[in-house]
Amino acid sequence: MLGRTATDRITVVSQDAHRFVRARHAHPQAQLIYAIGGVVSVTAPAGTWVVPPSRAVWVPAGIEHETKSYATVQFRALLIDPAEAKGLPDACAVVEVTPLLRELILRLAALAETPRDVEFSCAVTRLLLLELAFLPVEPLNLPTPQHMQLARFCDWIQSDPVRAVSLEEAASALHMSRSSFMRLFRRETGLSFAHWRQQARLLHALSLLAEGQSILNVALACGYDSPSAFSAMFRRSLGRSPSEYFGNFAGGQGRS
C-alpha cells in the first residue's frame, strides 16, 4: 500500500486491487478505513467489522488490527494524527459514510496526489472530522469474547457457519449450566448466543456475496435451508435483500 501526505497531520493510504490482506499491525495515528467500492473487514481485539461502501471503520491510535478485502476493492485509509482526533472514540467504531464524507475522503486522497494550498487542505480536514457520524448500534460487527475458553469456542463456531449448535450443546462444551453460559455469553459479547451466531453467519455471507457467489451457494454455506430463508434473515438485519444491497453498493454510492 502507498501512503501519501495530504496535510502535515493526515496521510492517505490507497490501494486498488483484486483483494488484499494486511497482517495484524498498529499505527501511532488513528485510522479511518474505507472502501470506495467492494467490502472490507477489520479485525481488532474487540471484534470484527465487515463493511460496505456506506460505512467505514474507525480504529484509534495504537490498536492492533488486521485488514482484508473480498474480491475487487478500491481501498482508502486516512492516518490521522491523534492531536486531530481529540474527542473522537477511543475504541473501534463504525462510521456512517454520508455523501459529503465520501467526497471529503476522495478530496483528501486527491490532495495527497497533487498537493495544493495548505489552508484549503486543512479546511477539508476540519470539515471531514466534523462530518464523522459514529453509529452506536450497527449490525456489521461481531464482538470477540475476552474469556479465553469462550473465545476458542466462538472461533470454532465461526470456522464452520453451517454447523448447528444448540444452546445446551454450547453450554456443555464449556462445562457450564445453560443459565451460566447465557450470562457469560451476554456479559462477554453484549449479545445472546443465538444473535451472535446469526451475526457470524451474516458477516460470512457478506464476504461471500462480495466475491460474487450466488445467493443459493451463500445460503447453503451459511447454514440456511433455502435462499428465501437466508434472504429473509438478510433483509431483517440490513433492511434490504442481498441483491438490492449489493446492487446499491456496487458503485460505492449506496447508503443504508
Side-chain angles (χ1 to χ4, degrees), residues 162-245:
V162 176
R163 182 184 289 121
V165 180
S166 69
L167 187 55
E168 289 72 18
E169 290 169 330
S172 177
L174 269 70
H175 309 289
M176 293 181 176
S177 68
R178 187 175 185 274
S179 58
S180 294
F181 178 83
M182 290 170 64
R183 286 194 299 271
L184 174 67
F185 203 94
R186 187 169 288 280
R187 184 172 70 245
E188 288 286 319
T189 68
L191 303 174
S192 69
F193 175 58
H195 189 182
W196 186 95
R197 187 173 55 182
Q198 179 177 293
Q199 285 291 94
R201 288 176 167 179
L202 175 63
L203 298 195
H204 183 57
L206 285 171
S207 67
L208 296 178
L209 289 167
E211 292 173 349
Q213 294 199 30
S214 70
I215 293 176
L216 173 60
N217 287 345
V218 174
L220 296 176
C222 292
Y224 289 88
D225 294 332
S226 67
S228 59
F230 166 72
S231 294
M233 178 281 295
F234 196 99
R235 183 180 289 277
R236 284 194 305 272
S237 299
L238 297 177
R240 64 197 72 197
S241 70
S243 57
E244 291 170 336
Y245 192 84

Side-chain angles (χ1 to χ4, degrees), residues 14-245:
S14 302
Q15 179 162 327
D16 297 345
H18 177 60
R19 65 174 67 236
F20 71 86
V21 176
R22 180 82 191 275
R24 184 158 293 219
H25 63 286
H27 302 281
Q29 310 98 329
Q31 189 174 24
L32 184 65
I33 298 172
Y34 173 60
I36 302 169
V39 173
V40 167
S41 75
V42 179
T43 299
T48 297
W49 292 258
V50 178
V51 291
S54 66
R55 299 287 185 263
V57 179
W58 172 259
V59 180
I63 291 185
E64 289 193 345
H65 59 284
E66 174 188 315
T67 309
K68 64 180 177 180
S69 72
Y70 300 93
T72 301
V73 68
Q74 292 177 281
F75 176 86
R76 302 292 181 270
L78 306 182
L79 298 174
I80 304 171
D81 188 291
E84 294 282 1
K86 288 181 179 177
L88 296 176
D90 57 4
C92 294
V94 171
V95 176
E96 180 180 8
V97 179
T98 63
L100 175 57
L101 181 58
R102 180 180 186 276
E103 293 307 314
L104 291 168
I105 292 171
L106 296 181
R107 178 56 67 92
L108 274 181
L111 289 170
E113 293 288 337
T114 54
R116 55 176 293 181
D117 186 274
V118 173
E119 185 176 349
F120 179 81
S121 298
C122 290
V124 172
T125 298
R126 287 195 297 271
L127 182 56
L128 182 146
L129 294 172
L130 287 171
E131 180 64 8
L132 290 179
F134 292 90
L135 303 176
V137 178
E138 180 61 35
L140 299 170
N141 167 237
L142 189 68
T144 299
Q146 299 305 302
H147 184 281
M148 188 176 298
Q149 190 177 2
L150 183 58
R152 285 199 297 266
F153 174 76
C154 288
D155 286 342
W156 178 70
I157 293 291
Q158 282 184 268
S159 69
D160 184 7
V162 176
R163 182 184 289 121
V165 180
S166 69
L167 187 55
E168 289 72 18
E169 290 169 330
S172 177
L174 269 70
H175 309 289
M176 293 181 176
S177 68
R178 187 175 185 274
S179 58
S180 294
F181 178 83
M182 290 170 64
R183 286 194 299 271
L184 174 67
F185 203 94
R186 187 169 288 280
R187 184 172 70 245
E188 288 286 319
T189 68
L191 303 174
S192 69
F193 175 58
H195 189 182
W196 186 95
R197 187 173 55 182
Q198 179 177 293
Q199 285 291 94
R201 288 176 167 179
L202 175 63
L203 298 195
H204 183 57
L206 285 171
S207 67
L208 296 178
L209 289 167
E211 292 173 349
Q213 294 199 30
S214 70
I215 293 176
L216 173 60
N217 287 345
V218 174
L220 296 176
C222 292
Y224 289 88
D225 294 332
S226 67
S228 59
F230 166 72
S231 294
M233 178 281 295
F234 196 99
R235 183 180 289 277
R236 284 194 305 272
S237 299
L238 297 177
R240 64 197 72 197
S241 70
S243 57
E244 291 170 336
Y245 192 84

